[in-house]
PDB file of all heavy atoms in Angstrom:
ATOM      1  N   SER A 165      36.808   0.281 -14.167  1.00  0.00           N
ATOM      2  CA  SER A 165      35.637   0.038 -13.360  1.00  0.00           C
ATOM      3  C   SER A 165      34.611   1.086 -13.587  1.00  0.00           C
ATOM      4  O   SER A 165      33.449   0.936 -13.706  1.00  0.00           O
ATOM      5  CB  SER A 165      35.998  -0.140 -11.893  1.00  0.00           C
ATOM      6  OG  SER A 165      36.883  -1.092 -11.646  1.00  0.00           O
ATOM      7  N   MET A 166      35.079   2.345 -13.535  1.00  0.00           N
ATOM      8  CA  MET A 166      34.251   3.535 -13.840  1.00  0.00           C
ATOM      9  C   MET A 166      33.468   3.385 -15.153  1.00  0.00           C
ATOM     10  O   MET A 166      32.303   3.675 -15.198  1.00  0.00           O
ATOM     11  CB  MET A 166      35.101   4.714 -13.777  1.00  0.00           C
ATOM     12  CG  MET A 166      34.411   6.092 -14.119  1.00  0.00           C
ATOM     13  SD  MET A 166      35.513   7.432 -14.040  1.00  0.00           S
ATOM     14  CE  MET A 166      34.561   8.702 -14.825  1.00  0.00           C
ATOM     15  N   LEU A 167      34.267   2.923 -16.180  1.00  0.00           N
ATOM     16  CA  LEU A 167      33.605   2.819 -17.456  1.00  0.00           C
ATOM     17  C   LEU A 167      32.589   1.767 -17.524  1.00  0.00           C
ATOM     18  O   LEU A 167      31.544   1.917 -18.095  1.00  0.00           O
ATOM     19  CB  LEU A 167      34.793   2.501 -18.476  1.00  0.00           C
ATOM     20  CG  LEU A 167      34.311   2.516 -20.043  1.00  0.00           C
ATOM     21  CD1 LEU A 167      33.828   3.810 -20.457  1.00  0.00           C
ATOM     22  CD2 LEU A 167      35.611   2.145 -20.859  1.00  0.00           C
ATOM     23  N   ALA A 168      32.906   0.599 -16.872  1.00  0.00           N
ATOM     24  CA  ALA A 168      31.915  -0.548 -16.814  1.00  0.00           C
ATOM     25  C   ALA A 168      30.724  -0.123 -16.109  1.00  0.00           C
ATOM     26  O   ALA A 168      29.602  -0.447 -16.500  1.00  0.00           O
ATOM     27  CB  ALA A 168      32.603  -1.736 -16.123  1.00  0.00           C
ATOM     28  N   GLN A 169      30.875   0.628 -14.922  1.00  0.00           N
ATOM     29  CA  GLN A 169      29.653   1.108 -14.226  1.00  0.00           C
ATOM     30  C   GLN A 169      28.864   2.034 -15.070  1.00  0.00           C
ATOM     31  O   GLN A 169      27.682   1.891 -15.055  1.00  0.00           O
ATOM     32  CB  GLN A 169      30.197   1.815 -12.982  1.00  0.00           C
ATOM     33  CG  GLN A 169      30.696   0.907 -11.778  1.00  0.00           C
ATOM     34  CD  GLN A 169      29.543   0.514 -10.849  1.00  0.00           C
ATOM     35  OE1 GLN A 169      28.400   0.817 -11.112  1.00  0.00           O
ATOM     36  NE2 GLN A 169      29.886  -0.134  -9.784  1.00  0.00           N
ATOM     37  N   GLY A 170      29.593   2.962 -15.713  1.00  0.00           N
ATOM     38  CA  GLY A 170      28.868   3.917 -16.498  1.00  0.00           C
ATOM     39  C   GLY A 170      28.043   3.392 -17.691  1.00  0.00           C
ATOM     40  O   GLY A 170      26.916   3.749 -18.028  1.00  0.00           O
ATOM     41  N   ILE A 171      28.621   2.361 -18.384  1.00  0.00           N
ATOM     42  CA  ILE A 171      27.862   1.780 -19.507  1.00  0.00           C
ATOM     43  C   ILE A 171      26.781   0.929 -18.969  1.00  0.00           C
ATOM     44  O   ILE A 171      25.700   0.948 -19.588  1.00  0.00           O
ATOM     45  CB  ILE A 171      28.986   0.877 -20.346  1.00  0.00           C
ATOM     46  CG1 ILE A 171      30.047   1.802 -20.958  1.00  0.00           C
ATOM     47  CG2 ILE A 171      28.217   0.139 -21.445  1.00  0.00           C
ATOM     48  CD1 ILE A 171      31.095   1.041 -21.722  1.00  0.00           C
ATOM     49  N   TYR A 172      27.020   0.186 -17.874  1.00  0.00           N
ATOM     50  CA  TYR A 172      25.858  -0.629 -17.297  1.00  0.00           C
ATOM     51  C   TYR A 172      24.748   0.290 -16.964  1.00  0.00           C
ATOM     52  O   TYR A 172      23.586   0.010 -17.307  1.00  0.00           O
ATOM     53  CB  TYR A 172      26.339  -1.379 -16.152  1.00  0.00           C
ATOM     54  CG  TYR A 172      25.332  -2.175 -15.437  1.00  0.00           C
ATOM     55  CD1 TYR A 172      24.857  -3.354 -15.893  1.00  0.00           C
ATOM     56  CD2 TYR A 172      24.569  -1.553 -14.382  1.00  0.00           C
ATOM     57  CE1 TYR A 172      23.746  -4.070 -15.353  1.00  0.00           C
ATOM     58  CE2 TYR A 172      23.450  -2.289 -13.794  1.00  0.00           C
ATOM     59  CZ  TYR A 172      23.106  -3.562 -14.247  1.00  0.00           C
ATOM     60  OH  TYR A 172      22.017  -4.184 -13.795  1.00  0.00           O
ATOM     61  N   GLN A 173      24.929   1.435 -16.295  1.00  0.00           N
ATOM     62  CA  GLN A 173      23.906   2.357 -15.836  1.00  0.00           C
ATOM     63  C   GLN A 173      23.252   2.927 -17.088  1.00  0.00           C
ATOM     64  O   GLN A 173      21.978   3.038 -17.071  1.00  0.00           O
ATOM     65  CB  GLN A 173      24.466   3.366 -14.929  1.00  0.00           C
ATOM     66  CG  GLN A 173      24.927   2.774 -13.514  1.00  0.00           C
ATOM     67  CD  GLN A 173      25.696   3.843 -12.778  1.00  0.00           C
ATOM     68  OE1 GLN A 173      25.996   4.864 -13.295  1.00  0.00           O
ATOM     69  NE2 GLN A 173      26.194   3.456 -11.621  1.00  0.00           N
ATOM     70  N   LEU A 174      24.071   3.318 -18.010  1.00  0.00           N
ATOM     71  CA  LEU A 174      23.461   3.872 -19.264  1.00  0.00           C
ATOM     72  C   LEU A 174      22.590   2.885 -19.978  1.00  0.00           C
ATOM     73  O   LEU A 174      21.428   3.151 -20.397  1.00  0.00           O
ATOM     74  CB  LEU A 174      24.490   4.340 -20.168  1.00  0.00           C
ATOM     75  CG  LEU A 174      24.141   4.805 -21.580  1.00  0.00           C
ATOM     76  CD1 LEU A 174      23.230   5.968 -21.539  1.00  0.00           C
ATOM     77  CD2 LEU A 174      25.349   5.097 -22.429  1.00  0.00           C
ATOM     78  N   ASN A 175      22.958   1.702 -20.116  1.00  0.00           N
ATOM     79  CA  ASN A 175      22.301   0.607 -20.807  1.00  0.00           C
ATOM     80  C   ASN A 175      20.846   0.349 -20.137  1.00  0.00           C
ATOM     81  O   ASN A 175      19.911   0.027 -20.767  1.00  0.00           O
ATOM     82  CB  ASN A 175      23.009  -0.685 -20.966  1.00  0.00           C
ATOM     83  CG  ASN A 175      23.990  -0.629 -22.127  1.00  0.00           C
ATOM     84  OD1 ASN A 175      23.945   0.302 -22.938  1.00  0.00           O
ATOM     85  ND2 ASN A 175      24.816  -1.587 -22.248  1.00  0.00           N
ATOM     86  N   ASN A 176      20.870   0.570 -18.824  1.00  0.00           N
ATOM     87  CA  ASN A 176      19.590   0.357 -18.121  1.00  0.00           C
ATOM     88  C   ASN A 176      18.551   1.368 -18.416  1.00  0.00           C
ATOM     89  O   ASN A 176      17.367   1.171 -18.117  1.00  0.00           O
ATOM     90  CB  ASN A 176      19.858   0.410 -16.664  1.00  0.00           C
ATOM     91  CG  ASN A 176      20.141  -0.965 -16.066  1.00  0.00           C
ATOM     92  OD1 ASN A 176      19.757  -2.033 -16.599  1.00  0.00           O
ATOM     93  ND2 ASN A 176      20.826  -1.040 -14.880  1.00  0.00           N
ATOM     94  N   THR A 177      18.926   2.475 -19.130  1.00  0.00           N
ATOM     95  CA  THR A 177      18.005   3.526 -19.495  1.00  0.00           C
ATOM     96  C   THR A 177      17.644   3.405 -20.847  1.00  0.00           C
ATOM     97  O   THR A 177      16.776   4.167 -21.427  1.00  0.00           O
ATOM     98  CB  THR A 177      18.660   4.935 -19.151  1.00  0.00           C
ATOM     99  OG1 THR A 177      19.693   5.146 -20.175  1.00  0.00           O
ATOM    100  CG2 THR A 177      19.172   5.052 -17.726  1.00  0.00           C
ATOM    101  N   LEU A 178      18.170   2.454 -21.683  1.00  0.00           N
ATOM    102  CA  LEU A 178      17.982   2.399 -23.130  1.00  0.00           C
ATOM    103  C   LEU A 178      17.197   1.155 -23.569  1.00  0.00           C
ATOM    104  O   LEU A 178      17.396   0.164 -22.941  1.00  0.00           O
ATOM    105  CB  LEU A 178      19.425   2.324 -23.797  1.00  0.00           C
ATOM    106  CG  LEU A 178      20.343   3.547 -23.608  1.00  0.00           C
ATOM    107  CD1 LEU A 178      21.742   3.247 -24.193  1.00  0.00           C
ATOM    108  CD2 LEU A 178      19.787   4.834 -24.200  1.00  0.00           C
ATOM    109  N   PRO A 179      16.507   1.332 -24.686  1.00  0.00           N
ATOM    110  CA  PRO A 179      15.826   0.165 -25.204  1.00  0.00           C
ATOM    111  C   PRO A 179      16.885  -0.823 -25.690  1.00  0.00           C
ATOM    112  O   PRO A 179      18.022  -0.372 -26.026  1.00  0.00           O
ATOM    113  CB  PRO A 179      14.974   0.683 -26.310  1.00  0.00           C
ATOM    114  CG  PRO A 179      15.640   2.027 -26.704  1.00  0.00           C
ATOM    115  CD  PRO A 179      16.267   2.515 -25.469  1.00  0.00           C
ATOM    116  N   GLU A 180      16.526  -2.081 -25.911  1.00  0.00           N
ATOM    117  CA  GLU A 180      17.445  -3.132 -26.302  1.00  0.00           C
ATOM    118  C   GLU A 180      18.258  -2.781 -27.511  1.00  0.00           C
ATOM    119  O   GLU A 180      19.494  -3.088 -27.585  1.00  0.00           O
ATOM    120  CB  GLU A 180      16.756  -4.421 -26.438  1.00  0.00           C
ATOM    121  CG  GLU A 180      17.539  -5.658 -26.592  1.00  0.00           C
ATOM    122  CD  GLU A 180      18.247  -6.003 -25.306  1.00  0.00           C
ATOM    123  OE1 GLU A 180      17.705  -5.675 -24.175  1.00  0.00           O
ATOM    124  OE2 GLU A 180      19.468  -6.431 -25.371  1.00  0.00           O
ATOM    125  N   GLU A 181      17.635  -2.284 -28.562  1.00  0.00           N
ATOM    126  CA  GLU A 181      18.271  -2.024 -29.845  1.00  0.00           C
ATOM    127  C   GLU A 181      19.297  -0.832 -29.724  1.00  0.00           C
ATOM    128  O   GLU A 181      20.133  -0.646 -30.657  1.00  0.00           O
ATOM    129  CB  GLU A 181      17.270  -1.765 -30.924  1.00  0.00           C
ATOM    130  CG  GLU A 181      16.465  -0.410 -30.760  1.00  0.00           C
ATOM    131  CD  GLU A 181      15.290  -0.495 -29.848  1.00  0.00           C
ATOM    132  OE1 GLU A 181      15.171  -1.564 -29.181  1.00  0.00           O
ATOM    133  OE2 GLU A 181      14.467   0.401 -29.830  1.00  0.00           O
ATOM    134  N   LYS A 182      19.241  -0.097 -28.614  1.00  0.00           N
ATOM    135  CA  LYS A 182      20.169   1.047 -28.496  1.00  0.00           C
ATOM    136  C   LYS A 182      21.248   0.805 -27.381  1.00  0.00           C
ATOM    137  O   LYS A 182      22.030   1.793 -27.199  1.00  0.00           O
ATOM    138  CB  LYS A 182      19.407   2.300 -28.184  1.00  0.00           C
ATOM    139  CG  LYS A 182      18.541   2.821 -29.510  1.00  0.00           C
ATOM    140  CD  LYS A 182      17.903   4.115 -29.256  1.00  0.00           C
ATOM    141  CE  LYS A 182      17.130   4.580 -30.469  1.00  0.00           C
ATOM    142  NZ  LYS A 182      16.456   5.831 -30.285  1.00  0.00           N
ATOM    143  N   LYS A 183      21.258  -0.214 -26.767  1.00  0.00           N
ATOM    144  CA  LYS A 183      22.287  -0.498 -25.677  1.00  0.00           C
ATOM    145  C   LYS A 183      23.673  -0.454 -26.321  1.00  0.00           C
ATOM    146  O   LYS A 183      23.892  -0.900 -27.407  1.00  0.00           O
ATOM    147  CB  LYS A 183      22.038  -1.842 -24.990  1.00  0.00           C
ATOM    148  CG  LYS A 183      20.644  -1.840 -24.154  1.00  0.00           C
ATOM    149  CD  LYS A 183      20.519  -3.146 -23.489  1.00  0.00           C
ATOM    150  CE  LYS A 183      19.162  -3.244 -22.822  1.00  0.00           C
ATOM    151  NZ  LYS A 183      19.039  -2.290 -21.695  1.00  0.00           N
TER     152      LYS A 183
END
Side-chain angles (χ1 to χ4, degrees):
S165 301
M166 173 181 169
L167 187 60
Q169 284 270 6
I171 295 175
Y172 176 83
Q173 292 167 359
L174 172 62
N175 278 351
N176 269 335
T177 69
L178 298 173
E180 192 66 33
E181 67 276 10
K182 292 185 179 180
K183 291 182 187 294

